[in-house]
Amino acid sequence: MKIAVVTDSTCYLSQQDIDNNHLFIVPIPFIVDGKAYREGLDVTDKEAFQIIHDGESFPSTSQPALGDLINLYSKLADDGYNAVISIHLAGTISGLVNSLQSVAADLADKIKIVPYDSKITVQLMGQLAIKAARMAQAGADLDAIIQELNQLRDTIDEYFMVDDLQNLVRGGRLSNASAFIGSVLKIKPLLTFDNESDEIVAFEKIRSAKKAIARIEQLFKEAKDNTDYPLRGFIFHVNNEKMAQEWYESIKKRYPDMPFEFGAFGPVVGAHLGDGALALGWMKDIDAK
């Protein structure tokens, strides 16, 4: 069976990773002042954030057109693929995975489509796509790939801080907003994806960015100390490159035997988190022997 792996633009993988692993990327649109832009296609990230900053309306995001997805899957079938694993951002922040169920049913006679909820986004999701692609190219079957993805997904964890909760609240992406509204001035809210609900939740209020980073590192150390497999870490930011780079260099020195990657949130995720956001994520290292 020839299996293709599709993911969406919020994986924020390098073009080299995309090409080397034969991944197919679906762009996620973001909307400013009534105009839609496809992430990674219509504008660069720098241009996108400028559009967001200059816009009069609050930015929003939407799902890709189902017609575009149907065209992609149909082309993959025409190219000789028998099945597609379509790995996308968490169903709690986007309805894309659920929408794919109808597409999969419509194209069932042409190609088997397996929508897969990463329960996360950014390069953490991208690592799932890379692993699936590597297994597919090595000849693994669908069941084996999905089983491995489920196990790998369970190793993912992340914490992030934002300057304020305005964007997440207005975008409806924060499940426990009422507990934090009215007390967000001069604090750095810490957030994570809840392990039970997979929703973004705020769980602590820290008085400074320095203390917030220290708290996130404490949480990371506790998790690492209770892990019996090698980890790979990721530092992300939204228009906060200087502080993110300093954090990246610092944590690499603290854990010299652990690989870390540095990256930026693109406009679709960054629009919800807001400028200044920083995050640390980690998961089982797919490159470890």
Side-chain angles (χ1 to χ4, degrees), residues 158-171:
E158 72 298 312
Y159 292 96
F160 44 105
M161 70 174 191
V162 295
D163 275 351
D164 63 62
L165 300 176
Q166 178 182 359
N167 287 28
L168 282 164
V169 171
R170 292 181 65 179

Side-chain angles (χ1 to χ4, degrees), residues 8-10 12 27-31 37-40 45 48-49 52 59-62 89 93-94 121 173 265-273:
D8 61 68
S9 58
T10 68
Y12 303 138
I28 303 293
F30 66 95
I31 302 162
Y37 304 85
R38 293 172 299 172
E39 183 177 55
D45 284 358
F49 280 112
I52 291 170
S60 61
T61 57
S62 69
L89 70 170
I93 57 176
S94 170
T121 182
R173 297 307 198 278
F265 292 109
V268 167
V269 176
H272 292 298
L273 296 180

Side-chain angles (χ1 to χ4, degrees), residues 7-71:
T7 189
D8 61 68
S9 58
T10 68
C11 68
Y12 303 138
L13 293 173
S14 69
Q15 192 60 50
Q16 183 178 5
D17 279 336
I18 292 168
D19 293 342
N20 287 349
N21 294 283
H22 307 290
L23 296 172
F24 299 89
I25 307 297
V26 175
I28 303 293
F30 66 95
I31 302 162
V32 180
D33 296 339
K35 183 174 181 179
Y37 304 85
R38 293 172 299 172
E39 183 177 55
L41 280 185
D42 296 331
V43 289
T44 65
D45 284 358
K46 183 177 180 180
E47 292 168 339
F49 280 112
Q50 191 62 54
I51 290 169
I52 291 170
H53 292 160
D54 294 343
E56 296 182 2
S57 65
F58 180 75
S60 61
T61 57
S62 69
Q63 298 179 37
L66 291 185
D68 292 342
L69 291 164
I70 290 171
N71 289 339

Side-chain angles (χ1 to χ4, degrees), residues 208-220:
S208 70
K210 183 177 179 180
K211 290 181 179 179
I213 288 173
R215 175 60 175 144
I216 291 173
E217 286 198 21
Q218 179 187 11
L219 292 165
F220 165 67

Side-chain angles (χ1 to χ4, degrees), residues 61-138:
T61 57
S62 69
Q63 298 179 37
L66 291 185
D68 292 342
L69 291 164
I70 290 171
N71 289 339
L72 171 60
Y73 299 138
S74 297
K75 184 179 185 305
L76 291 173
D78 293 341
D79 290 342
Y81 288 97
N82 310 106
V84 177
I85 301 174
S86 212
I87 303 170
H88 297 290
L89 70 170
T92 53
I93 57 176
S94 170
L96 176 56
V97 167
N98 288 334
S99 297
L100 291 182
Q101 300 294 341
S102 63
V103 175
D106 291 342
L107 295 179
D109 292 339
K110 192 170 188 179
I111 189 170
K112 182 176 180 61
I113 301 168
V114 182
Y116 189 84
D117 187 346
S118 72
K119 299 186 178 182
I120 192 67
T121 182
V122 297
Q123 284 103 319
L124 297 160
M125 177 180 76
Q127 294 290 295
L128 296 178
I130 289 174
K131 182 63 177 181
R134 289 177 179 175
M135 292 183 69
Q137 290 157 29

Side-chain angles (χ1 to χ4, degrees), residues 59-288:
S60 61
T61 57
S62 69
Q63 298 179 37
L66 291 185
D68 292 342
L69 291 164
I70 290 171
N71 289 339
L72 171 60
Y73 299 138
S74 297
K75 184 179 185 305
L76 291 173
D78 293 341
D79 290 342
Y81 288 97
N82 310 106
V84 177
I85 301 174
S86 212
I87 303 170
H88 297 290
L89 70 170
T92 53
I93 57 176
S94 170
L96 176 56
V97 167
N98 288 334
S99 297
L100 291 182
Q101 300 294 341
S102 63
V103 175
D106 291 342
L107 295 179
D109 292 339
K110 192 170 188 179
I111 189 170
K112 182 176 180 61
I113 301 168
V114 182
Y116 189 84
D117 187 346
S118 72
K119 299 186 178 182
I120 192 67
T121 182
V122 297
Q123 284 103 319
L124 297 160
M125 177 180 76
Q127 294 290 295
L128 296 178
I130 289 174
K131 182 63 177 181
R134 289 177 179 175
M135 292 183 69
Q137 290 157 29
D141 62 27
L142 275 174
D143 289 343
I145 296 173
I146 297 302
Q147 182 179 6
E148 179 66 23
L149 289 181
N150 289 341
Q151 293 173 355
L152 189 59
R153 184 178 61 186
D154 286 345
T155 73
I156 293 174
D157 210 345
E158 72 298 312
Y159 292 96
F160 44 105
M161 70 174 191
V162 295
D163 275 351
D164 63 62
L165 300 176
Q166 178 182 359
N167 287 28
L168 282 164
V169 171
R170 292 181 65 179
R173 297 307 198 278
L174 189 64
S175 68
N176 62 340
S178 61
F180 277 69
I181 298 306
S183 59
V184 297
L185 295 177
K186 297 182 180 179
I187 68 165
K188 296 291 183 182
L190 297 189
L191 303 96
T192 189
F193 277 84
D194 181 73
N195 289 334
E196 297 298 325
S197 68
D198 299 321
E199 295 179 330
I200 298 176
V201 294
F203 69 96
E204 283 187 20
K205 309 168 189 178
I206 308 295
R207 286 294 176 183
S208 70
K210 183 177 179 180
K211 290 181 179 179
I213 288 173
R215 175 60 175 144
I216 291 173
E217 286 198 21
Q218 179 187 11
L219 292 165
F220 165 67
K221 183 180 184 303
E222 291 171 359
K224 187 177 185 301
D225 288 346
N226 289 291
T227 297
D228 60 1
Y229 46 78
L231 294 174
R232 177 177 293 268
F234 303 82
I235 296 290
F236 311 105
H237 72 94
V238 181
N239 294 323
N240 197 359
E241 186 170 2
K242 183 177 184 295
M243 185 175 289
Q245 187 69 43
E246 290 173 354
W247 191 9
Y248 172 67
E249 296 298 338
S250 171
I251 202 166
K252 280 200 307 178
K253 291 178 181 178
R254 192 166 288 114
Y255 300 97
D257 297 328
M258 178 177 164
F260 280 89
E261 297 187 20
F262 179 84
F265 292 109
V268 167
V269 176
H272 292 298
L273 296 180
D275 278 355
L278 290 171
L280 170 62
W282 61 91
M283 64 189 295
K284 183 177 180 181
D285 185 4
I286 64 172
D287 291 331

